Amino acid sequence: MFPTGIGWPGRGSLSARRTAGDTVPRTMSQADKDPRIVVLAGDGIGPEIVAAARSVLDSLGSFGYDEQLIGGASIDELGTPLSDDALAACRHSDAVLLGAVGGPKWDTTDPDAPRPEQGLLGLRKGLELYANLRPVKPLGALLDASPLRRERIEGTDLLVVRELTGGIYFGRKDRGPDSALDECVYTTAEIERIAVAAFAAAERRAGPGGGGRLTSVDKANVLETSRLWREVVSDVGSRYETVELDHLLVDNAAMQLVADPSQFDVIVTENMFGDILSDEAAMITGSLGMLPSASLGDGGPGVFEPVHGSAPDIAGGGAANPLATFLSVAMMLRHGLDRPADADRLDDAVEAALAGGLRTADLFTGAEGERRVGTAAMTDAVIAAL
Ligand code: IPM
Ligand code: MG
């Protein structure tokens, strides 16, 4: 299994919501009752991994899909990385499944040109998805695929809770003739809500016996926003007596993550530190191609996407590892659509496919029993294991 132990109520929400279906009139047809998933395939390998994810979903049940454009694909078609229509469709869905955005075709240093990544950031901000959950747990079959030694990573089971709608990503930006500015602002309220999400996650992962641990990562020896962060997280911590809180400077955290990753339980950190640390943590699982994520807010649908990017170098070749997307679908089933049993089945099927020796190129080590496969064969194996 690929446990996250978070267990928030459904529809990608961090707060209690109505139970699914309680406003659905009896006269509705089956198709109307199916969960409505907006699919944002995006760029590069995005369309391939999202198509694979749809076939996995179809073998689990009946879902309604609404395909919308994001990123470079949307720039090419509509001149903008995220249209108002696409955002509105996401807002009215039950969950959003996203592939990846970006690629060399749209890379530019021109501050006025549209960039694919703006679509992703606009989506996060537009849906107020302030909490990004990135669970990191190496699967048994992949313990030797990590660049870190097996004995170093064994026992690792951590969750990165990344603040997703504030900080330097969303501060004022400016460019002068020979200078540039990126402002980093955090408000108490922004820190408080992500801290609450992180403490709640630590509580739930630990279960009724307690013993959860939360590590808050900042750069309080240099940054004012970090000093506020540390203060507010500590204040929130006084309301969660069963969770043990400690603070770590980000440079030390980066080092500890490779030196002794199993010491961590839940890590909470601001937007940019979370971006960097989660890529680093991903390598513990053997490949960035294994890391799923869920982006949640206080109401409305969540966005579920693999952490890896659009991998333009292998796009269209049928070689992409679809497993991070499948694991993101499992997070969608668990956190967004309130179907925990299906989520568990899918997590188990991913493990079974790997245990059977199948490896996409990013995971292949050449060890005995491994068989190198592409996206389609890996997808078929996961579906067969469901
Ligand atoms: C991620 C990505 C994005 C981010 C990019 C594509 C804007 O790296 O989701 O981690 O920096 O948040
Ligand atoms: Mg990133």
Side-chain angles (χ1 to χ4, degrees):
M1 223 179 53
F2 197 89
T4 60
I6 300 149
W8 268 301
R11 254 204 106 198
S13 163
L14 291 164
S15 63
R17 299 183 56 89
R18 65 180 173 79
T19 45
D22 65 1
T23 60
V24 177
R26 278 168 200 287
T27 50
M28 273 189 158
S29 68
Q30 181 55 42
D32 291 326
K33 281 188 243 161
D34 292 342
R36 282 176 12 91
I37 300 170
V38 166
V39 178
L40 302 168
D43 310 318
I45 59 171
E48 297 162 63
I49 54 177
V50 155
R54 275 183 62 162
S55 51
V56 166
L57 271 166
D58 289 339
S59 62
L60 279 169
S62 179
F63 299 90
Y65 305 104
D66 176 4
E67 291 194 15
Q68 298 286 338
L69 295 170
I70 194 168
S74 180
I75 292 174
D76 287 353
E77 189 92 4
L78 306 167
T80 170
L82 180 69
S83 68
D84 293 343
D85 285 352
L87 182 59
C90 292
R91 236 181 227 128
H92 294 111
S93 71
D94 292 309
V96 179
L97 178 65
L98 193 141
V101 298
K105 180 175 176 195
W106 306 279
D107 276 348
T108 171
T109 53
D110 174 358
D112 299 320
R115 279 173 295 107
E117 292 77 9
Q118 291 166 332
L120 187 54
L121 301 185
L123 181 68
R124 292 169 177 173
K125 197 72 170 176
L127 299 179
E128 275 189 80
L129 306 172
Y130 63 86
N132 181 222
L133 313 181
R134 299 183 164 182
V136 178
K137 186 179 189 234
L139 301 179
L142 294 182
L143 279 173
D144 294 313
S146 171
L148 296 173
R149 284 199 308 276
R150 165 188 276 269
E151 56 271 27
R152 197 153 278 219
I153 59 177
E154 253 170 350
T156 300
D157 179 1
L158 64 87
L159 172 70
V160 178
V161 178
R162 170 188 176 194
E163 201 290 326
L164 204 60
T165 51
I168 199 166
Y169 272 60
F170 292 96
R172 195 160 52 96
K173 296 183 190 303
D174 203 5
R175 175 88 76 91
D178 49 14
S179 70
L181 169 87
D182 292 286
E183 200 173 53
C184 182
V185 181
Y186 267 108
T187 66
T188 301
E190 284 173 323
I191 302 169
E192 209 164 43
R193 65 183 183 176
I194 191 68
V196 166
F199 275 106
E203 241 180 12
R204 290 198 174 89
R205 277 164 60 95
R213 281 174 299 114
L214 178 63
T215 303
S216 175
V217 173
D218 61 39
K219 188 71 182 170
N221 54 349
V222 176
L223 302 177
E224 205 52 54
T225 43
S226 279
R227 288 188 276 270
L228 180 66
W229 181 278
R230 200 174 269 223
E231 251 174 55
V232 175
V233 172
S234 298
D235 282 353
V236 172
S238 61
R239 311 205 295 259
Y240 291 86
E241 277 167 12
T242 64
V243 179
E244 191 191 320
L245 169 68
D246 64 341
H247 302 274
L248 214 54
L249 295 173
V250 64
D251 47 351
N252 188 11
M255 186 265 283
Q256 298 285 339
L257 262 177
V258 288
D260 182 17
S262 67
Q263 70 178 290
F264 293 107
D265 179 4
V266 178
I267 295 174
V268 64
T269 191
E270 63 97 63
N271 204 344
M272 182 142 90
F273 297 162
D275 177 47
I276 298 167
L277 291 181
S278 59
D279 268 31
E280 186 193 5
M283 288 316 288
I284 298 167
T285 66
S287 165
L288 194 48
M290 290 303 300
L291 207 65
S293 85
S295 303
L296 310 176
D298 274 331
V303 171
F304 303 86
E305 57 173 315
V307 170
H308 62 70
S310 60
D313 49 324
I314 59 164
N321 179 355
L323 297 181
T325 312
F326 297 167
L327 296 172
S328 302
V329 167
M331 291 188 88
M332 176 171 85
L333 291 163
R334 188 176 289 116
H335 301 296
L337 301 176
D338 201 16
R339 294 165 76 129
D342 286 335
D344 288 348
R345 277 178 67 198
L346 181 48
D347 284 339
D348 290 347
V350 167
E351 258 204 88
L354 290 169
L358 268 59
R359 298 285 186 277
T360 41
D362 56 313
L363 299 173
F364 186 73
T365 66
E368 210 190 306
E370 286 188 1
R371 189 153 65 85
R372 188 174 172 144
V373 296
T375 314
M378 186 62 101
T379 304
D380 291 346
V382 169
I383 290 174
L386 274 174

